[in-house]
Amino acid sequence: MGLRLKIIMNPSSGREQGRLNIEEMLAYIVNLGKLERADISYTAKRYDARNFAMNINEDEYDYLIAVGGDGTVNEVVSGLQMANKKIPLAIYTSGTVNDFAYSVDVPQQPADFARMLLNPRFIDADCGRVADSYFLNVLAGGVMTDVAYSAPTQLKTDLGQVAYWLTALKEMPNLGSTMNLTFKTEDKVYDIPEAHLFLISNSRSVGGFRKLMSLAELNDGLLDVMILSKLDPSDVFPLLGKLLMGEHIYNDNVTYFQTNSLEIISNGDKEIVLDIDGEEGPALPQKIDCIRSAIKLIVPNTEE
């Protein structure tokens, strides 16, 4: 008996490299005589990946593979959570940033990915929930946090991660804008009258910055929260230097804490819309929870 795989793929993600990688990966397993079946569902519009995941028959497959960027992975995770599916999930990166896949060291080469499937290790990863949405990597709000979903799809396909930075440059004149926010946890209240942005994450890598949430763990039952307060122009470059070293959480302009649940309230008139794993989400106020051990992830097996 060989592997029975269900694959949900965004065919336009990562300059369409994902399709080629999957073909090579499947060929590797076939050549070893260890593949029984592989069924691929291609996404064409938003929520396709979520709906495919919701309707998967767990009795027919051993593993589910999500192929795409963070947005595709988010939809797959949301579908599994909404339908209470427990099938093990592997993530094959082909998008532009792919923070979560980087954080669990998923192989990039087809043969290496195939070997991971044939000799897997499983971890029970947490995920976040806000309203009727879920996030495996990050929820964000404020300056520049809409870059992932405001960058044109074709631009992201053509230019990759450069597209995010080109779009982000348009946001630089708005760096002076701030939000008056209150963050409430079970035991503490944080009033931030001049916040530039906030991030709530389950992994260390966010927005391509590999140590942005430097204390985060995938399965500790906690969400890591980082809030950036108003910066003077002279503060920007010193903060960037600390960010590269993972020491930014100790900066005076940064509030960093961990919690299993929190409520975020906007005290101003401007609507604050959330970004959820690179897709537009609901507006504040919202309650965010950590769902512990929500997803069984397939990761590389480091044991001999």
Side-chain angles (χ1 to χ4, degrees):
M1 297 290 288
L3 287 177
R4 301 171 301 162
L5 305 176
K6 175 66 176 181
I7 301 166
I8 298 175
M9 181 187 301
N10 179 351
S12 66
S13 183
R15 306 183 187 94
E16 304 183 8
Q17 183 63 39
R19 190 199 305 262
L20 298 175
N21 288 342
I22 287 296
E23 290 175 358
E24 289 187 40
M25 182 271 293
L26 293 176
Y28 184 96
I29 301 175
V30 167
N31 288 337
L32 294 176
K34 295 184 178 181
L35 183 68
E36 179 177 334
R37 65 184 291 189
D39 299 329
I40 304 177
S41 295
Y42 295 99
T43 64
K45 60 184 182 301
R46 190 175 184 185
Y47 301 130
D48 277 354
R50 185 190 70 180
N51 293 333
F52 291 146
M54 288 181 67
N55 292 303
I56 189 172
N57 186 337
E58 296 178 277
D59 294 330
E60 293 185 5
Y61 303 101
D62 299 308
Y63 306 144
L64 171 62
I65 303 175
V67 185
D70 289 331
T72 302
V73 173
N74 172 270
E75 285 200 22
V76 170
V77 167
S78 296
L80 294 176
Q81 287 298 295
M82 293 169 72
N84 195 30
K85 304 288 187 178
K86 302 300 181 183
I87 186 171
L89 172 66
I91 299 171
Y92 204 153
T93 63
S94 64
T96 308
V97 179
N98 302 302
D99 286 307
F100 193 84
Y102 178 90
S103 69
V104 294
D105 198 25
V106 172
Q108 299 293 304
Q109 298 303 314
D112 294 334
F113 193 90
R115 284 190 285 267
M116 180 186 75
L117 296 179
L118 294 168
N119 181 31
R121 182 168 66 93
F122 302 98
I123 60 172
D124 293 321
D126 306 333
C127 80
R129 176 176 59 197
V130 54
D132 58 352
S133 299
Y134 299 84
F135 60 97
L136 194 58
N137 189 45
V138 65
L139 176 150
V143 173
M144 295 175 65
T145 56
D146 66 343
V147 167
Y149 61 79
S150 61
T153 300
Q154 189 59 48
L155 184 64
K156 289 189 287 186
T157 299
D158 293 341
L159 299 181
Q161 189 166 346
V162 174
Y164 288 92
W165 299 115
L166 290 176
T167 306
L169 288 175
K170 299 178 182 179
E171 294 289 322
M172 293 306 292
N174 298 322
L175 191 59
S177 64
T178 60
M179 305 168 289
N180 185 348
L181 302 174
T182 297
F183 298 78
K184 294 183 178 181
T185 69
E186 292 182 354
D187 54 7
K188 194 166 184 179
V189 175
Y190 300 83
D191 288 312
I192 313 292
E194 292 185 296
H196 277 313
L197 63 89
F198 59 88
L199 304 167
I200 302 171
S201 182
N202 188 40
S203 68
R204 297 187 181 188
S205 179
V206 176
F209 292 97
R210 302 314 188 190
K211 299 179 181 180
L212 193 64
M213 309 298 268
S214 53
L215 302 182
E217 299 291 342
L218 298 178
N219 53 359
D220 59 0
L222 298 172
L223 296 170
D224 285 54
V225 182
M226 189 181 82
I227 310 159
L228 178 64
S229 297
K230 186 175 182 179
L231 292 169
D232 291 328
S234 59
D235 296 327
V236 174
F237 286 105
L239 180 59
L240 287 175
K242 290 183 178 294
L243 189 151
L244 294 174
M245 295 184 292
E247 299 177 355
H248 56 287
I249 64 173
Y250 308 109
N251 186 276
D252 291 340
N253 296 101
V254 173
T255 302
Y256 191 105
F257 61 91
Q258 296 175 306
T259 182
N260 62 358
S261 178
L262 75 156
E263 182 180 3
I264 308 177
I265 301 167
S266 174
N267 302 310
D269 296 330
K270 182 181 178 181
E271 182 180 60
I272 308 299
V273 177
L274 301 176
D275 170 287
I276 302 175
D277 281 342
E279 301 293 337
E280 186 173 358
L284 296 180
Q286 294 293 337
K287 186 175 185 294
I288 299 98
D289 297 301
C290 179
I291 306 174
R292 187 154 199 179
S293 301
I295 299 291
K296 185 175 291 295
L297 283 178
I298 302 170
V299 299
N301 194 338
T302 56
E303 298 179 0
E304 294 293 337

